[in-house]
Amino acid sequence: MKLSSRISGIKPSPTLAITMKANALRAEGRDVIGFGAGEPDFDTPLHIKMAAIKAIEGGFTKYTPVGGTDELKDAIIRKLQKDNRLNYSRSEIVVSCGAKHTLYNLAQVLFEEGDEVIIPSPYWVSYPDIVVLAGAQPVVVETKETDGFKLQPEQLEGAINKRTKAVILNSPSNPTGAAYSRTELEILAEVIGRKGIFVISDDIYEKIIYDDFPFCNIASISEEMKKMTVVVNGVSKAYAMTGWRIGYAAGPSEVISAVTMIQSQSTSNPSSISQKAAVEALVGDQDVVTEMVEEFRKRRNCIVEKLGAIPGITCMNPAGAFYVFPNVSLLFGRSWRGKTISNSSDLTEYLLEEANVAVVPGGEFGCDHHIRLSYATSMKNIEEGLQRIRDAVVKLD
Ligand SMILES: *Cc1c(COP(=O)(O)O)cnc(C)c1O
């Protein structure tokens, strides 16, 4: 059967592919430690699950308004006021089936053929493909490790032309864990305001941030920036709710009503039950988040220290999210059994074959000198896995 040309320009999510490959090896009996996971390893907190059970028992099991219930929109509005000092009304909020779905729908309503969208690299794997699916052109701007993997104002300005429609910012970042300070965002906002482009601010890791780093998003810089920004967030990462599929956008009402229209002709509302659970996540006990973040912080410290002690590997200390993105380029050119390791995929393959450890090659995020390890796994796995990586790296010729 001949498929549409739309589908030929995109590829399946590589992080899901790595997880599947590791699972397949495990099924063959190999003891593989996985650092590929893009989701918290914690269970969804009990009070959130109970809210869903109550929704089912109470018969809250029918269609809801396409863009989400008023109850959930109000919970999101209060969250944005409290955490981000941003004021929105219900017509400026839409709830979707996960933040990825929010981003997809936003691209569909904002971008078209002839538009360019700036994506700083290393980037989350889905951004370029979501832009391509909307018919637009992703313009990847490489950030430097020496700049902490953060987009510099002159880089941004240099990438903007008449066709530029928007820039996608993600702080804290997947895969680097880098987070922008308020001052850094103010400087970027000056360029964005002057050039008149849109910002999609993917704040999904807002709550997973360490050492009291003050989270900031660019919409809160000024009233002008708020008008040019769509804030994207969700409950997947902060509340260990990846399977529930609830994400949302806050932004100008004409954008939000367009997203709602797309949903009305595609998915309709996100699950009614998940919406009830998301309300409980947002308004209920927040200590569960603090506890998960504290555990992530311990693991981050452990993994950064152990990676840094491996000869040939250097690792930046991430400000947030649950990934480390070590530089492994000093290992390129080394070999094992006559096979030379010349890029991040070769190293990933070597680690899987020789060390039974699954990581994600940095090339997938547009940054081939690095690999990504998720520390959304137990401390025991981190200790054992890092020992295996060390042993494998040391024996390279
Ligand atoms: C996980 C993730 C998302 C999507 O999360 P959903 O589960 O779809 O809500 C969006 N952006 C980034 C950077 C992510 O890592």
Side-chain angles (χ1 to χ4, degrees):
M1 193 184 297
K2 191 180 175 305
L3 300 177
S4 73
S5 54
R6 194 177 311 115
I7 203 73
S8 66
I10 61 162
K11 55 179 173 15
S13 165
T15 44
L16 295 178
I18 302 273
T19 306
M20 262 147 66
K21 190 166 175 193
N23 286 344
L25 287 174
R26 262 187 222 115
E28 287 171 16
R30 291 249 305 261
D31 156 40
V32 176
I33 296 182
F35 291 104
E39 60 181 345
D41 54 319
F42 304 111
D43 195 4
T44 303
L46 187 62
H47 66 285
I48 298 174
K49 292 203 245 184
M50 293 310 292
I53 291 166
K54 205 169 135 212
I56 294 172
E57 287 176 348
F60 194 73
T61 52
K62 303 288 170 60
Y63 291 135
T64 74
V66 168
T69 60
D70 283 347
E71 184 191 24
L72 178 52
K73 285 189 180 184
D74 289 347
I76 291 166
I77 288 167
R78 279 198 301 277
K79 180 257 170 247
L80 290 163
Q81 271 166 349
K82 185 164 69 69
D83 295 346
N84 314 104
R85 293 165 189 261
L86 286 167
N87 292 310
Y88 293 99
S89 60
R90 284 179 188 165
S91 65
E92 295 170 306
I93 307 285
V94 60
V95 184
S96 314
C97 310
K100 188 188 273 188
H101 184 225
T102 311
L103 290 162
Y104 178 85
N105 287 349
L106 280 172
Q108 292 292 316
V109 308
L110 288 172
F111 309 145
E112 63 190 346
E113 205 92 20
D115 288 341
E116 292 186 1
V117 179
I118 296 173
I119 302 175
S121 78
Y123 47 73
W124 183 48
V125 290
S126 294
Y127 296 145
D129 286 6
I130 284 173
V131 168
V132 166
L133 278 170
Q137 178 75 40
V139 174
V140 172
V141 177
E142 248 178 75
T143 66
K144 294 204 201 81
E145 191 174 14
T146 47
D147 290 330
F149 290 119
K150 287 184 262 192
L151 183 65
Q152 301 302 300
E154 57 280 4
Q155 288 185 304
L156 175 61
E157 182 144 13
I160 297 175
N161 62 42
K162 283 197 175 58
R163 288 183 299 279
T164 309
K165 190 74 191 271
V167 56
I168 304 181
L169 294 179
N170 174 217
S171 170
S173 148
N174 175 3
T176 67
Y180 289 86
S181 70
R182 186 175 186 92
T183 312
E184 288 163 339
L185 290 173
E186 278 168 356
I187 298 168
L188 291 177
E190 190 279 317
V191 177
I192 290 161
R194 183 156 42 78
K195 294 286 184 177
I197 62 169
F198 261 115
V199 183
I200 293 180
S201 177
D202 181 349
D203 296 359
I204 197 87
Y205 292 102
E206 168 183 13
K207 298 279 178 190
I208 305 175
I209 203 155
Y210 310 110
D211 311 325
D212 299 322
F213 187 96
F215 173 83
C216 181
N217 78 28
I218 202 161
S220 58
I221 297 291
S222 65
E223 212 32 56
E224 185 200 12
M225 277 319 297
K226 182 175 173 243
K227 291 198 186 92
M228 304 172 79
T229 303
V230 182
V231 173
V232 174
N233 208 330
V235 295
S236 282
K237 307 292 161 62
Y239 301 96
M241 290 177 71
T242 44
W244 300 75
R245 312 311 303 132
I246 296 289
Y248 59 85
S253 59
E254 60 274 27
V255 178
I256 297 304
S257 59
V259 167
T260 310
M261 191 143 71
I262 292 246
Q263 289 188 184
S264 78
Q265 298 295 17
S266 51
T267 54
S268 291
N269 60 277
S271 151
S272 58
I273 299 151
S274 296
Q275 288 188 67
K276 281 285 187 190
V279 169
E280 179 58 28
L282 293 174
V283 307
D285 175 18
Q286 301 297 303
D287 288 351
V288 289
V289 180
T290 319
E291 283 159 25
M292 287 191 270
V293 172
E294 176 54 18
E295 182 58 30
F296 279 139
R297 191 188 61 81
K298 285 184 196 151
R299 296 173 185 176
R300 176 201 64 163
N301 291 351
C302 173
I303 201 165
V304 167
E305 189 195 315
K306 288 192 186 299
L307 280 166
I310 301 175
I313 297 184
T314 57
C315 187
M316 220 178 73
N317 197 25
F322 40 71
Y323 311 99
V324 278
F325 201 60
N327 189 324
V328 292
S329 61
L330 284 174
L331 302 175
F332 297 171
R334 310 254 310 258
S335 59
W336 177 242
R337 296 195 176 124
K339 254 177 85 179
T340 303
I341 289 170
S342 42
N343 54 43
S344 61
S345 306
D346 292 347
L347 183 66
T348 299
E349 205 178 300
Y350 172 69
L351 291 177
L352 192 55
E353 292 307 320
E354 285 299 321
N356 282 324
V357 163
V359 304
V360 187
E364 304 288 0
F365 310 95
C367 193
D368 198 41
H369 285 176
H370 294 253
I371 55 174
R372 190 193 78 173
L373 286 82
S374 158
Y375 47 92
T377 187
S378 68
M379 199 65 118
K380 186 168 162 284
N381 278 347
I382 291 171
E383 279 168 4
E384 167 70 19
L386 268 291
Q387 188 59 44
R388 290 186 191 180
I389 294 174
R390 186 191 170 85
D391 293 345
V393 165
V394 175
K395 73 181 181 191
L396 284 170
D397 295 322

